[in-house]
Amino acid sequence: IGLTTVFLAGAGYLLGLGAMEALVIGLILSLSSTAFVLQLLAERGELAKAHGRAGFSVLLMQDLAVIPLLALTPLMISGGETSIEWLSIGLAILTVVAVIVGGHYLLSPFLRIIVRTRSSDLFTAAALLVVLGIAALMEAAGLSMALGAFLAGVLLADSEYRHALESTIEPFKGLLLGLFFIAVGMGVDLNLLAADPLAVLGLVVGLVVLKALALGILAVLFGLKRQSGFAFAVYLAQGGEFAFVLFAVLQGTGGLASETISLLTLVVTASAATSAAALAQAPAGGSAAGDATGEPTGDAALELFRTGVESDEAFDRDLGIARLDRLTGEYVDSMRALEDLLDRVRDEHGQWDMRNVVVLTEMAGVQRELGNLDQAVGLYNEALHVNRVNQGLHDVTQVDILEDVAEVQV
């Protein structure tokens, strides 16, 4: 975030923006699209490759950075003032810390009371009440409701009922995400593109090139090989969805002119669209054999290579999607995808195919993270049985599985 912000803020300052405006815009545009990048990496089977793992790390840090950005950027430029109000920033930080600490200790007891009623509808309503209540509290404290909603989501995800909450809100997730992007699309002012297409094109190209340059430097620091580093830079070079949220917050506080926000919204949207089109035509990046250090990446192609089975694109894609759900805590979706994949493997290749070992061990890993240790051991044992039929008693894959079983039993 820091390196990309320096590049983008410097460019904004050279284009005539004030120092504080350039800094805030640079911070916002430094964010990449988590939803877009992770989904694309999973669909292309690249999530476990070197550039996929590096990209996931960067995106995770960016998502965590959204909380302070939501709190501080409106205070850095508010109502045309570009000086930092340290007292307001201090109060904002104290409010956020109070909500996090209070929510950590009060939310679980509150949800336990709701759970005792054994009413799923009341449980859903209570979760919604938490989100709306914290959002209203943030607005009353002079901060944005978006920050409150984000904090509420973090607190709910940290509670002991996070898996139940995930299952409860699953039917609404896709709908609400779709409504968000529909609202963003309806807010894009295409008249700006028609009025000066070359200026918009120049800003889009400038954004993508500067971000790719900064990310390329990071790829070198991460120790990625050239092909993986190039893929890492290209995947994260677009603007992110949180930019729309932050621009809306700044528009509400009068921090930036409406014309500037409309132009930047158009640029971020166009950068995401062009990145998607470019990546759709590009070959898969990175190496399936490992990262810069030569260590295995753990992706499906490598695992199947080690077990003597030729990989296929559909299997890599579906396993990558399931792993994406697991990495992001979507355990219900991950198990559902893995169960469907296991059924398909058995239908197409039989129950003794080594692809079963890969899927079964992945399912066992999900059950371990859910705390279902008996189910995890059962899945590991099933994977061991398939592996022994194919590879014998002394295969390296069997050793890995036995080590996982021992960890679960401990």
Side-chain angles (χ1 to χ4, degrees), residues 2-260:
L3 183 60
T4 309
T5 299
V6 170
F7 279 47
L8 296 174
Y13 186 75
L14 292 176
L15 290 175
L17 294 173
M20 193 59 65
E21 286 183 334
L23 175 60
V24 170
I25 292 174
L27 282 168
I28 295 174
L29 295 181
S30 69
L31 303 176
S32 302
S33 176
T34 302
F36 165 75
V37 175
L38 291 184
Q39 185 66 29
L40 195 56
L41 283 169
E43 289 176 354
R44 293 166 63 90
E46 300 178 30
L47 188 62
K49 294 183 180 179
H51 62 274
R53 290 182 286 122
F56 180 81
S57 300
V58 171
L59 291 169
L60 180 61
M61 182 57 65
Q62 289 183 357
D63 287 349
L64 293 175
V66 168
I67 293 178
L69 287 177
L70 282 168
L72 299 181
T73 50
L75 302 176
M76 294 170 70
I77 48 172
S78 179
E81 298 292 334
T82 58
S83 60
I84 299 178
E85 300 179 7
W86 294 108
L87 178 59
S88 298
I89 290 177
L91 291 174
I93 293 174
L94 287 175
T95 302
V96 171
V97 170
V99 168
I100 292 175
V101 174
H104 178 74
Y105 290 103
L106 298 177
L107 185 58
S108 290
F110 170 69
L111 291 177
R112 288 193 198 104
I113 296 173
I114 301 300
V115 168
R116 291 194 190 103
T117 66
R118 299 184 180 276
S119 172
S120 59
D121 292 336
L122 185 59
F123 188 69
T124 304
L128 182 60
L129 176 64
V130 170
V131 174
L132 295 176
I134 295 178
L137 178 62
M138 289 292 104
E139 185 180 39
L143 301 174
S144 68
M145 294 189 73
L147 173 60
F150 194 89
L151 283 176
V154 172
L155 291 172
L156 290 170
D158 188 50
S159 74
E160 59 187 284
Y161 299 103
R162 57 186 178 276
H163 302 308
L165 286 165
E166 178 186 350
S167 301
T168 300
I169 66 174
E170 181 66 27
F172 311 105
K173 184 175 64 176
L175 174 62
L176 294 176
L177 186 62
L179 287 175
F180 170 75
F181 284 110
I182 289 173
V184 170
M186 293 177 65
V188 173
D189 189 356
L190 295 178
N191 292 327
L192 294 173
L193 179 62
D196 198 347
L198 292 179
V200 174
L201 178 62
L203 290 173
V204 172
V205 172
L207 171 63
V208 173
V209 170
L210 287 175
K211 289 192 72 172
L213 179 60
L215 291 164
I217 295 173
L218 288 178
V220 174
L221 297 177
F222 287 160
L224 298 178
K225 292 181 179 179
R226 183 173 61 181
Q227 186 179 4
S228 291
F230 178 79
F232 168 75
V234 172
Y235 268 112
L236 274 69
Q238 79 293 128
E241 61 271 4
F242 278 116
F244 304 126
V245 178
L246 290 163
F247 286 147
V249 172
L250 289 175
Q251 188 171 26
T253 60
L256 289 175
S258 297
E259 296 79 8
T260 302

Side-chain angles (χ1 to χ4, degrees), residues 244-320:
F244 304 126
V245 178
L246 290 163
F247 286 147
V249 172
L250 289 175
Q251 188 171 26
T253 60
L256 289 175
S258 297
E259 296 79 8
T260 302
I261 291 176
S262 297
L263 178 60
L264 292 173
T265 300
L266 177 60
V267 169
V268 172
T269 304
S271 71
T274 53
S275 293
L279 288 169
Q281 303 300 321
S287 170
D291 57 14
T293 63
E295 294 298 323
T297 60
D299 60 304
L302 175 63
E303 291 170 9
L304 293 173
F305 171 77
R306 287 176 59 188
T307 53
V309 178
E310 183 180 356
S311 178
D312 63 83
E313 183 179 350
F315 182 88
D316 287 355
R317 182 191 64 245
D318 293 344
L319 183 62

